[in-house]
């Protein structure tokens, strides 16, 4: 992965991982400080900047990922293509493209902003809280997926009608429907009316 000012600030020279810092924001999305990632998610949660990516194939099917079982937050549940947090000072668009590549091994095509949504979703299983100001992005998934097994347990492309069935049968992340519903206008614009989103 290329080193950027944001990634350099979040890695150490001796190869050991440093604490991952998140941007804390106010209700308008203005940066007001930073907090360590786990601390920001501990109840009651601190409002922080996040992003969610929705990528589609040429048939208008949404790429879902099942989060790896080793993740400390919401392991083993299905969610949108990619989600995460920009490093402090990193643009959400840059972070979304970076994490999509890190997690899935592809660079999104035609990635476009799709608005923001603010939510507060506790995760009953872990006791952690998603208190987020979330930047939404939509685009196309082109090329061969190469998921990182430490991040992604499984992937699937689903049509709009298939998603409803899968959502009833399998566990999904607490934030999934909130971010999907907020991104729907941009998703419809990208996929067209026949895709059913």
């Amino acid at each position: 992965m290329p080193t950027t000012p944001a990634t350099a600030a979040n890695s150490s020279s001796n190869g050991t991982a440093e604490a991952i810092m998140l941007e804390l924001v106010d209700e308008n999305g203005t940066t007001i400080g930073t907090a360590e990632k786990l601390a920001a998610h501990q109840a009651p949660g601190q409002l922080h900047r996040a992003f969610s990516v929705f990528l589609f194939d040429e048939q208008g099917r949404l790429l879902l990922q099942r989060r790896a079982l080793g993740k400390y937050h919401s392991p083993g549940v299905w969610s949108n293509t990619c989600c995460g947090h920009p490093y402090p000072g990193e643009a959400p668009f840059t972070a979304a493209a970076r994490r999509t590549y890190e997690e899935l091994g592809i660079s999104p095509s035609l990635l476009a902003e799709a608005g923001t949504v603010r939510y507060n979703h506790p995760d009953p299983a872990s006791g952690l809280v998603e208190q987020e100001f979330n930047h939404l992005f939509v685009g196309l998934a082109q090329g061969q997926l190469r998921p990182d097994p430490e991040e992604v347990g499984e992937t699937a492309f689903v049509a709009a009608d298939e998603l409803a069935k899968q959502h009833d049968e399998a566990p999904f992340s607490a934030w999934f429907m909130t971010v999907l519903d907020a991104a729907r206008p941009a998703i419809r614009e990208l996929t067209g009316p026949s895709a059913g989103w």
Side-chain angles (χ1 to χ4, degrees):
M1 175 181 70
T3 301
T4 66
T7 57
N10 286 280
S11 60
S12 66
S13 59
N14 64 8
T16 60
E18 293 182 8
I20 296 173
M21 302 300 290
L22 306 184
E23 267 188 8
L24 301 180
V25 299
D26 65 17
E27 294 292 336
N28 298 313
T30 303
T31 302
I32 58 171
T34 61
E36 191 276 324
K37 183 179 177 181
L38 182 58
H41 288 88
Q42 290 173 334
Q46 298 176 64
L47 184 59
H48 58 274
R49 194 175 311 283
F51 63 83
S52 290
V53 177
F54 297 86
L55 297 184
F56 296 81
D57 66 9
E58 293 177 358
Q59 290 77 45
R61 298 179 304 167
L62 171 60
L63 174 58
L64 297 177
Q65 71 156 277
R66 187 168 170 177
R67 294 166 62 84
L69 292 174
K71 293 182 79 73
Y72 75 88
H73 187 359
S74 301
V77 299
W78 287 94
S79 199
N80 47 295
T81 308
C82 180
C83 54
H85 309 91
Y87 294 130
E90 183 181 28
F93 183 94
T94 302
R98 172 181 58 79
R99 282 303 292 165
T100 300
Y101 183 79
E102 290 171 357
E103 291 187 11
L104 295 162
I106 59 169
S107 296
S109 302
L110 301 177
L111 191 65
E113 294 182 22
T116 59
V117 63
R118 192 259 195 255
Y119 53 79
N120 178 359
H121 287 300
D123 175 31
S126 67
L128 300 175
V129 177
E130 289 288 1
Q131 184 89 250
E132 295 186 332
F133 188 94
N134 197 302
H135 297 257
L136 308 171
F137 298 93
V138 300
L140 299 178
Q142 297 176 320
Q144 184 67 39
L145 296 176
R146 296 180 312 278
D148 176 350
E150 291 190 13
E151 298 287 343
V152 180
E154 191 177 349
T155 61
F157 281 95
V158 298
D161 56 350
E162 296 170 330
L163 177 63
K165 183 175 184 227
Q166 183 171 350
H167 193 268
D168 290 341
E169 295 176 353
F172 272 73
S173 64
W175 62 87
F176 176 72
M177 287 308 298
T178 300
V179 293
L180 176 64
D181 287 344
R184 279 186 198 275
I187 291 170
R188 290 185 192 114
E189 188 174 327
L190 177 72
T191 61
S194 62
W197 294 102

